[in-house]
Structure formats: structure tokens, C-alpha cells
Amino acid sequence: MNLTLKNILSVLGAQWVGEFDSADISHISIDSRSLQNGPETLFFALSGPNNDAHHYIGELIDSGVMNFVVSYIPEEVKNQANFLVVPNTLAALQQFATWYRNHFKFPVIGITGSNGKTIVKEWLNFLLGPDFNIIRSPKSYNSQVGVPLSVISINEKHNLGIFEAGISTISEMEKLEPIITPTIGILTNIGTAHDEGFSNIAEKIKEKLKLFKHSELLIYNSNKTIEAFIPSTTKRFSWSFKDESADVFLVRRNAGEHTFISVTWNERAFEVEIPFRNDASIENAMHCLMVLLHFGYDNLEIKNRLAMLFPVEMRLKVKNGIDNSTVIDDSYSSDFQSLKIALDFLETQKQHKKKTLILSDIFQSGLTNEELYSRVSQLVISNKINRVIGIGETISAFKHKFVNCVTFDTTNEFLAAFDGLNFGHETILVKGARQFRFEKIVSLLEEKTHETVLEINLNAISHNLNFFRSKIRPETKMMIMVKAFSYGNGGFEIARLLEHHKVDYLGVAFADEGIALKTQGISLPIMVMNPESTSFTSIIQYGLEPEIYSLKGLDAFLKIANEKKLEQYPIHIKLDTGMHRLGFEEPQLAQLISVLKENKSVKIKSILSHMATSDDLQHHAFALGQIALYEKMSSLMIAELEIDPIRHILNTSGISNYAEAQFDMVRLGIGLYGISNDASEQKYLENVGTLKSILSQIRTIPAGDSVGYGRRFMAEHETKIATIPIGYADGISRHWGNGIGYVNVNGKKAPITGSVCMDMLMVDVTGITCKEGDPVVIFGEDPSVIHMAKQLGTIPYEILTSISQRVKRVFYRE
């Protein structure tokens, strides 16, 4: 559909401020960092409690964007672009998406519920894909922002839509319903997710059902509670394993790892096979079965298609690759919208100057192949991809549209040529449709390590960062502590994400940590908190900024600075206000000021101190005393030296408990990684790290037998024991063994039996359905590091930072 600023202006009822309202619009954006922004972009400047995109309009103008939907025009960009001024930019985005949706009349499936939305959507796309040109929500774009962005991607060639809608509180669904306007509704499992946003389960059900206000049909698992709230005018299509009065009655029997289900509907009776046994997958598959029945597929076709269902990978994963490369694994989907998302993610995580895209044929774009691959080519150019490797007969036919491109008709042809393609020292995005089996490519590219991994959720880091940003003034700067390998979570990858989020400073403990980040391309200023005098030369060489906390250290740094004839080199002065660890004490200020007063080789970039009790309100008076002393000491330095430095004293707990002492900057540490000392605050943070392994071996021992060194565990009855390849060399405390700690096996607690060994531990899996090779959660949501620390009499910091470097870190975005 051809769009211009002029017709969008009338849709939004916006105030026009600009000179050229007939500009063509081909791209809607809300992300100022996307390399896909350009002259035909209309940028919606969304504002929220954690961020305000209006601040980035100047940068966008510099990059070529000229068209903006805003709630106000920043003073510094007036008369520089075209502006559509509206009261609320998010409401305008939703209004535009609603208008856009109304231009298309094909069937649309709307999916909501607490669990299973994305899986049902992806499975329906797979099941119906051979017969329809489908537009669907990319990944889990189901929010107040994600839904309109998904719908705006519809084009004239699509003839079926599948969109999911997620809500967290009341009054949200009524905004999403007109955007999706589903003709067919699916209500998936109603669980406990987002319970805090509703007063009771009835309120949650009623809110979710608002999505189907104008639907012609509602598919759901028969449930009397839910049915009480379904409007009488809504046509129902229910299924059940228990209620024989449901429209479709089902009988289930397990067979190995598969499930056979007898289906009875009207005069039809047949059996289907589902390649899963777990209840959640069976329920999701039944919603898909109902859609196939409604669409009129025959028994044999339904049976054949459901038997091919597969586990859905909903994450973009970042993995260490061969020969110092980085692999972004998105090997199970290949559509145009998700390609745009993956390329944006590549930009946030690129660790090398060279970027390679391995891409399969793209399906269900709704575009002709000529137009599709022209658009893909433009994406590749705008994202500055250095090399394209295409796999598939269609993309091979359009090889000429790409610069530096090699193609193969099949994945096997690529695998045969792999050794000659010379991968190394690059970031590689692997993106392919499931049928191309790109997991084989990822396996070749991935660095081989043992089967224990620490998964890092980058979405959770972004969420936690924004949570703490919402607690500070807009003008307050933020330093993020990435010392100790980002509290055990991984250094560069997190630093790169923080750079993407435009934080102001990074903080490391020692120079080598900062040097590693700088050599990998991090450009943010990095403060070295505990610099040793022997590292000063390297600090200067790599452009790091040292914290100076003693006269001896200052003299040593000034000597080197003078030798190198430096001018105004940034340093940070640490004051001791009561921590009594590092820093200048009040009686030393006169001498410190005297040394600095006439010195031109350094510049005091900031003055800081560290609070000893910001997390313990029992010491409230002591903390206030520290803040007052810091104010006094820093003010004296500022007056005497006639400087204007950044001042900062607050750490994570200080941000929450002493907001009045924000000064110019705060330092966020453990809070970024999802840990708070305040239980009321903890519920708003998301878990970042999940330590996982597998069950290596399972055995059954009789009563009286023992497990592990020293026979510390003696079986009182026949016991099923599983061995897991992780131990104290990986960072698991020996004190966590012998019944004190547990791991999570298939959602069940499995107590650790006997002593934790160097490379292994054993758990009791009696009564737990499991097999060798099954995944195990060592910590994450359950058990959490907070729980582990409490049981071990330590702090979460120690648990996180103890995880060995030999444990592979896998970074992912949902």
C-alpha cells in the first residue's frame, strides 16, 4: 500500500509542522538505533517511564530520517524535519495500525492466553503455510507496541494473518483488539503469568476475552469458568479430554516419547500422533488441531501434518564460534519481518568488523521473488553486511542482487564446501527456514565446549536497565559495572548491549578487564576502579580512565602523564566517606587540592565515593552521614579547583533507597543482573542468568548403597541417581551438596546427594520422569541465586562470580 505523510497526517489528526507533506513512507520505526532507518522512514518517538525517543531525533536527522510522529518538538531540532505532533505517540502508532488493518479483509487468527501463544502461532504457520500466504507476529511481538508493528507489515499478497496479543493488566486488550480484529480467536492456557496485574482470575479472563469481541469463532479448551464470561453471541468451538459435551472430544494415550490422540467430532472419528508427551505441548497442538478442523482439512491431512510438529525455538542465541568468530543462531525461521529483527540484533551484538549473513530461501513474504530479494538486498546494504551466503534454489537465482555473495542450492552442498569458506574473526548470523536444517551449520560453526552452559537473557538485562532508569532523573547519567566478567555473566556481549542502550560509563575493577573491552571495539568511556600503578601505562595506551584514591597513586600517574606530555587526561577522584576501603580522607583534601591545582596533565572527570550500608536501612543515619560528608568534601574540591566534575555516590541499593543523592550519575551493578536486596523490588526484576547442564547417566541403587566420595549419602531405599557434568571447578560450592541444595529436572526438585565433585554432582531423581540427556537447571528461576546464597550463608555476588570461565556463555534474545 502506498503511503505518504499527507494521508497519515489525516489518519492521526495530527498537527503538521514541516515543509514537505507528500513524502513517501515505506518503513515505520520506533528504534533510533536501527540501521534500516532512512529517508522513507516514519519514526514514532515513543515516550515511557524509562526512556524518551524524542532525545534521539537529532541523531536520526543526521542519519537521514526526516519524518517524525512526536508529542513535542525538541528545541534543538525545530525546522530541521517534518513533524506530525500528537498528544500520545503510542496511541498514534496504535491508531495508525488500526487504520492500516482495516484495508485488509482476509481471515485473521488472534491468539491470547497466559502460555503457549507463540508456539501455537508458529505451529499454525507451519501447518497452514503450504496453503496460505501468511503474515504473522515476528517472534513474540505481542505487546502494546509489538502488535501494531506486526500488523503494519501486512501487504496485498497476504491472505491469512496470525497475530498474538499479550497483556499484563486491565484496559490493555481493548487497545489491541481493533488493531488485530481477529475473525478466528484462540484462547490458550490461562495460568499465573501477570497475576499481579489483575485483582482475580475472573478479571484476567474477561480482559483476555475482549480480543474476541468481533470474532466469528472462538477456539478454547472447554472450561465452565471461562464459558461463564464468553458472550452469548460468540460462536464457540471447544475441545476437551474430560468433557464429553465439548464440540471435539479427545482421548489420549502415551507411547514412548509420542502421544496418540483419538479425535471425535460430529460424525468423524480418527487418531492423530503428536511427537510430544508433555501436557503443555499437547494442549498447544490441540488448538492447532481445532483450526485444521475448522478450515476443513481431511483426517489424513490432519494426521500427516500434526505428526511433523517440532519444538519451537523462540530465541536468538549468541554463541562463541570457531576461530574467534561469533555465531548468532536464528536457524529455525526465515521470513522477511524476522530477518529485519535479526539484523537489528546483529548490530547490537557485533563483535567484529566483518559481518556475514547465512540465509536460506525466504517463504511467505507476500511479495514477488523479484521484489522480495530486492528488499533483502537493501536490508543487507543498510546493515553493512560484508558477505552473504545464500542457500536454496530461489535465493541462488537472485544471487546477482547481492555484493560478495556465494550461493548453494542445498544445505548439503554448503556443508561439503564448508572448509573452503574460511570463517573466522567475524560475526555470523545464521538464519534459515526449518526445512533447511541450519542447525547442522550452527554445529559446525560453534566452538566445541562441554554441555554445561550459562544462558544470559539479554531481554532481561534491557528490562532491568530500564527499570532502574525509571528511578532516576532524565538528566542523571548512568555508569554500569561490568567488572568481574559482568558479575560472571559475560563481558563484551553485555558491554555491547549497554553501548547500544547508550549508557554513559562502564566500570571495571582492573585494567585488563577494560583493555579486553576496548580491544573488542567498545567505545564507551571505561573507568578502572582499582588500578594498580603498574597498569597506568596500559591504561593510557587504551584510553581507559583510572580512579585515583591515594596521593601515592596520584603521584605515580602524574609522573607518567608528564613523561608522555599528556594534557587534560581524564581521571576520577575517590573520596573515603566511611567505607574505609579506598579513597582520600577529609584531612588529605588540602594536600590533594594543592597537587592538582596547577596541574594541566590531568582533568578531574568525576568525584565519587562508595556507600557502605545503602542496602541496610538499619544504618540509615550512617548512610546519610556519608552522603553529607561527600557533599561537603566534593563541594570543597569543586570550589577550590574551579571545576565541574560528574559527582556520584549511589550504587544499586542507593538508587532505590537514597534517590535524593543522585547527584550527576549513579552506578548500577548487581541490579542489572536481576538481583535486589529489597524483596518488594525483586519482583519487578527479571532473571538474567540460567545455569544449565544435562543428565549424563542415570542408575538405580539398592537400599544401603552409597553415593560419592566419603559415602556421605546412604540410600535408605531403592533410589534413582542421576549424574550431572558440573562441579566445584565450574563454581558450584561443595557446601551446596549432600541434601542442602537441589537442581531442577523437568520442573521437579532433585536433591543433590553426597559431595559435589570437581567436575560432577549427583542428584536423587526418584519419582521424576526423566532420561539421560534431559536438561537440568542448576540455578535460574528455581533455584534462584538469592535462595542459594541464603542457604549457603553468603551473597548472590559470590554465587554469580564463582561460575568458571570454562562454562560456556550463551546469550539470547527472546
Side-chain angles (χ1 to χ4, degrees):
M1 187 162 63
N2 295 324
L3 296 173
T4 66
L5 272 185
K6 195 169 186 175
N7 58 28
I8 296 174
L9 178 66
S10 64
V11 169
L12 301 183
Q15 176 190 352
W16 168 252
V17 180
E19 296 182 359
F20 187 55
D21 65 358
S22 59
D24 291 328
I25 300 298
S26 63
H27 179 226
I28 303 297
S29 176
I30 63 165
D31 187 352
S32 64
R33 300 156 297 193
S34 174
L35 294 180
Q36 296 158 33
N37 293 326
E40 294 190 357
T41 294
L42 177 61
F43 184 84
F44 283 76
L46 302 185
S47 301
N50 305 322
N51 207 354
D52 184 354
H54 292 79
H55 299 326
Y56 308 120
I57 290 175
E59 296 176 22
L60 284 160
I61 292 172
D62 291 341
S63 66
V65 180
M66 293 302 296
N67 309 300
F68 300 88
V69 178
V70 298
S71 57
Y72 65 91
I73 303 174
E75 195 66 35
E76 65 273 13
V77 297
K78 284 186 175 179
N79 303 317
Q80 294 185 29
N82 299 315
F83 296 100
L84 283 68
V85 185
V86 297
N88 182 300
T89 50
L90 174 57
L93 176 65
Q94 295 170 338
Q95 183 180 346
F96 171 70
T98 299
W99 172 82
Y100 189 88
R101 162 70 179 93
N102 288 335
H103 284 75
F104 302 93
K105 303 303 180 184
F106 52 74
V108 170
I109 300 173
I111 308 170
T112 194
S114 301
N115 311 106
K117 297 184 293 294
T118 302
I119 293 173
V120 171
K121 179 199 68 185
E122 292 299 320
W123 279 354
L124 284 176
N125 178 68
F126 167 74
L127 294 167
L128 300 173
D131 309 307
F132 292 92
N133 207 340
I134 299 172
I135 177 68
R136 73 191 193 279
S137 313
K139 298 296 178 182
S140 54
Y141 267 42
N142 60 25
S143 67
Q144 298 290 305
V145 174
V147 168
L149 291 178
S150 301
V151 167
I152 290 167
S153 299
I154 298 173
N155 66 46
E156 289 82 354
K157 300 295 180 63
H158 293 124
N159 57 14
L160 178 66
I162 309 175
F163 299 106
E164 56 176 300
I167 56 171
S168 57
T169 188
I170 59 172
S171 302
E172 289 187 340
M173 192 63 84
E174 60 196 36
K175 298 172 183 175
L176 301 183
E177 189 276 336
I179 302 174
I180 300 176
T181 319
T183 55
I184 300 168
I186 299 177
L187 182 66
T188 65
N189 178 273
I190 299 293
T192 58
H194 301 296
D195 269 359
E196 67 277 4
F198 304 92
S199 58
N200 52 53
I201 187 67
E203 186 175 68
K204 176 190 278 191
I205 292 171
K206 285 193 287 185
E207 183 69 22
K208 289 184 180 294
L209 287 173
K210 289 179 182 178
L211 178 62
F212 314 121
K213 181 178 178 181
H214 297 103
S215 297
E216 299 168 7
L217 183 76
L218 174 59
I219 293 169
Y220 66 100
N221 185 355
S222 180
N223 180 295
K224 300 302 181 187
T225 303
I226 291 173
E227 288 169 351
F229 299 104
I230 300 175
S232 58
T233 55
T234 302
K235 184 179 178 182
R236 308 174 187 192
F237 193 28
S238 63
W239 62 269
S240 180
F241 286 108
K242 301 175 182 178
D243 180 7
E244 294 189 33
S245 68
D247 294 305
V248 178
F249 184 64
L250 310 166
V251 177
R252 171 181 174 177
R253 64 181 176 88
N254 296 330
E257 295 304 309
H258 289 208
T259 303
F260 288 87
I261 296 171
S262 297
V263 181
T264 303
W265 177 44
N266 294 337
E267 302 301 317
R268 295 169 65 173
F270 60 100
E271 186 175 71
V272 297
E273 178 184 357
I274 308 297
F276 303 99
R277 281 192 60 172
N278 66 85
D279 292 341
S281 294
I282 298 302
E283 183 168 352
N284 293 332
M286 292 307 93
H287 290 303
C288 296
L289 164 70
M290 298 293 282
V291 173
L292 295 178
L293 289 172
H294 174 66
F295 276 28
Y297 287 88
D298 63 39
N299 299 353
L300 181 60
E301 193 65 37
I302 292 174
K303 181 176 181 178
N304 289 340
R305 295 198 187 191
L306 288 180
M308 294 189 291
L309 290 179
F310 50 86
V312 174
E313 180 56 71
M314 293 182 288
R315 303 170 173 178
L316 284 161
K317 292 184 177 178
V318 183
K319 304 175 178 180
N320 291 329
I322 57 175
D323 197 14
N324 193 35
S325 64
T326 301
V327 179
I328 299 177
D329 180 4
D330 193 12
S331 55
Y332 289 100
S333 68
S334 183
D335 59 86
F336 187 68
Q337 293 306 315
S338 66
L339 175 61
K340 292 167 70 174
I341 294 169
L343 288 170
D344 276 340
F345 180 68
L346 167 62
E347 187 60 25
T348 72
Q349 282 298 308
K350 66 176 182 182
Q351 301 185 20
H352 311 274
K353 291 183 178 179
K354 183 179 177 183
K355 296 185 286 187
T356 291
L357 170 63
I358 302 177
L359 180 67
S360 78
D361 286 348
I362 295 175
F363 302 114
Q364 299 173 335
S365 69
L367 306 169
T368 65
N369 285 334
E370 178 72 29
E371 185 176 0
L372 169 63
Y373 288 100
S374 294
R375 291 192 184 188
V376 173
S377 174
Q378 288 304 310
L379 282 181
V380 167
I381 292 169
S382 62
N383 281 272
K384 302 175 183 177
I385 303 299
N386 303 95
R387 174 170 61 157
V388 176
I389 298 174
I391 300 177
E393 294 181 0
T394 305
I395 195 171
S396 295
F398 290 90
K399 175 183 176 180
H400 61 280
K401 290 189 176 292
F402 303 94
V403 177
N404 194 21
C405 176
V406 60
T407 59
F408 303 90
D409 284 347
T410 67
T411 301
N412 285 337
E413 287 183 18
F414 167 87
L415 297 175
F418 181 82
D419 290 339
L421 293 172
N422 300 320
F423 293 101
H425 301 276
E426 60 190 309
T427 302
I428 308 163
L429 171 60
V430 181
K431 185 153 187 59
R434 180 176 175 79
Q435 68 192 62
F436 285 89
R437 304 297 301 272
F438 272 17
E439 65 270 20
K440 295 179 181 179
I441 296 176
V442 173
S443 179
L444 277 179
L445 289 170
E446 190 176 1
E447 182 182 52
K448 302 302 180 282
T449 56
H450 72 98
E451 292 167 300
T452 296
V453 299
L454 181 61
E455 293 187 346
I456 309 299
N457 185 339
L458 296 176
N459 294 78
I461 288 180
S462 298
H463 169 86
N464 297 337
L465 173 65
N466 286 331
F467 172 77
F468 284 100
R469 267 183 167 163
S470 71
K471 289 175 168 285
I472 63 176
R473 298 184 300 267
E475 66 272 16
T476 301
K477 298 180 185 297
M478 184 172 276
M479 173 186 285
I480 307 294
M481 306 309 299
V482 292
K483 62 182 180 178
F485 199 50
S486 289
Y487 292 62
N489 290 283
F492 170 80
E493 295 83 358
I494 291 176
R496 185 72 181 89
L497 178 64
L498 295 171
E499 190 167 59
H500 187 67
H501 279 295
K502 301 182 186 294
V503 303
D504 300 284
Y505 259 91
L506 299 179
V508 298
F510 300 105
D512 57 347
E513 296 174 314
I515 291 169
L517 293 177
K518 285 294 186 183
T519 55
Q520 289 176 295
I522 296 297
S523 59
L524 282 173
I526 299 175
M527 177 177 165
V528 182
M529 311 292 282
N530 307 326
E532 297 158 317
S533 58
T534 53
S535 69
F536 284 156
T537 299
S538 296
I539 283 174
I540 293 169
Q541 179 183 349
Y542 287 93
L544 305 173
E545 301 179 14
E547 173 189 291
I548 303 296
Y549 51 81
S550 68
L551 289 167
K552 179 181 177 182
L554 178 59
D555 289 340
F557 189 81
L558 289 176
K559 181 179 179 182
I560 295 173
N562 289 326
E563 289 174 355
K564 293 182 175 293
K565 297 182 171 55
L566 299 179
E567 291 186 10
Q568 300 293 297
Y569 194 90
I571 64 172
H572 303 262
I573 299 296
K574 177 72 167 287
L575 304 178
D576 182 3
T577 58
M579 184 77 163
H580 296 330
R581 189 172 64 178
L582 294 174
F584 292 94
E585 294 181 298
E586 190 173 15
Q588 297 177 295
L589 284 189
Q591 189 175 358
L592 171 63
I593 291 168
S594 176
V595 172
L596 291 171
K597 206 156 199 174
E598 302 302 326
N599 198 295
K600 303 297 183 184
S601 58
V602 296
K603 174 185 179 180
I604 300 177
K605 193 68 176 288
S606 83
I607 301 174
L608 67 147
S609 188
H610 197 85
M611 298 180 71
T613 62
S614 62
D615 60 336
D616 188 350
L617 295 180
Q618 292 185 17
H619 297 284
H620 183 65
F622 180 83
L624 292 179
Q626 276 199 270
I627 293 169
L629 182 56
Y630 171 71
E631 169 68 41
K632 176 185 176 184
M633 293 172 67
S634 61
S635 295
L636 176 63
M637 289 190 64
I638 290 170
E640 290 290 327
L641 295 172
E642 298 181 345
I643 57 176
D644 184 25
I646 300 168
R647 293 198 289 175
H648 49 113
I649 188 173
L650 297 185
N651 56 6
T652 296
S653 295
I655 294 171
S656 299
N657 294 332
Y658 297 94
E660 71 280 2
Q662 289 178 27
F663 291 97
D664 305 301
M665 185 163 72
V666 296
R667 302 189 300 271
L668 179 60
I670 194 72
L672 182 75
Y673 309 102
I675 306 295
S676 173
N677 292 301
D678 182 347
S680 64
E681 185 174 78
Q682 182 63 47
K683 64 183 180 182
Y684 295 107
L685 300 179
E686 293 185 358
N687 179 66
V688 168
T690 301
L691 182 60
K692 290 184 175 180
S693 193
I694 64 165
L695 300 180
S696 295
Q697 189 175 36
I698 300 175
R699 58 168 50 80
T700 300
I701 63 173
D705 271 20
S706 61
V707 174
Y709 289 117
R711 308 192 72 197
R712 294 180 65 201
F713 173 82
M714 304 290 293
E716 297 179 358
H717 47 74
E718 186 177 86
T719 305
K720 188 162 67 168
I721 297 294
T723 301
I724 302 169
I726 186 172
Y728 59 76
D730 300 291
I732 306 303
S733 171
R734 291 186 76 249
H735 299 294
W736 188 234
N738 206 35
I740 294 175
Y742 67 91
V743 301
N744 194 308
V745 178
N746 293 332
K748 305 290 185 181
K749 292 182 180 180
I752 298 174
T753 57
S755 300
V756 174
C757 308
M758 179 180 288
D759 308 300
M760 287 170 279
L761 57 82
M762 288 70 73
V763 298
D764 182 352
V765 292
T766 306
I768 299 176
T769 301
C770 59
K771 63 183 185 301
E772 292 177 358
D774 276 359
V776 178
V777 174
I778 311 300
F779 67 65
E781 296 285 353
D782 181 28
S784 68
V785 292
I786 294 175
H787 172 77
M788 292 178 70
K790 185 176 181 180
Q791 293 297 109
L792 293 171
T794 184
I795 56 177
Y797 298 75
E798 184 175 358
I799 305 293
L800 290 173
T801 58
S802 294
I803 302 305
S804 169
Q805 293 286 326
R806 80 176 185 179
V807 174
K808 179 174 68 173
R809 272 69 173 173
V810 174
F811 300 85
Y812 70 91
R813 185 185 294 280
E814 296 284 2

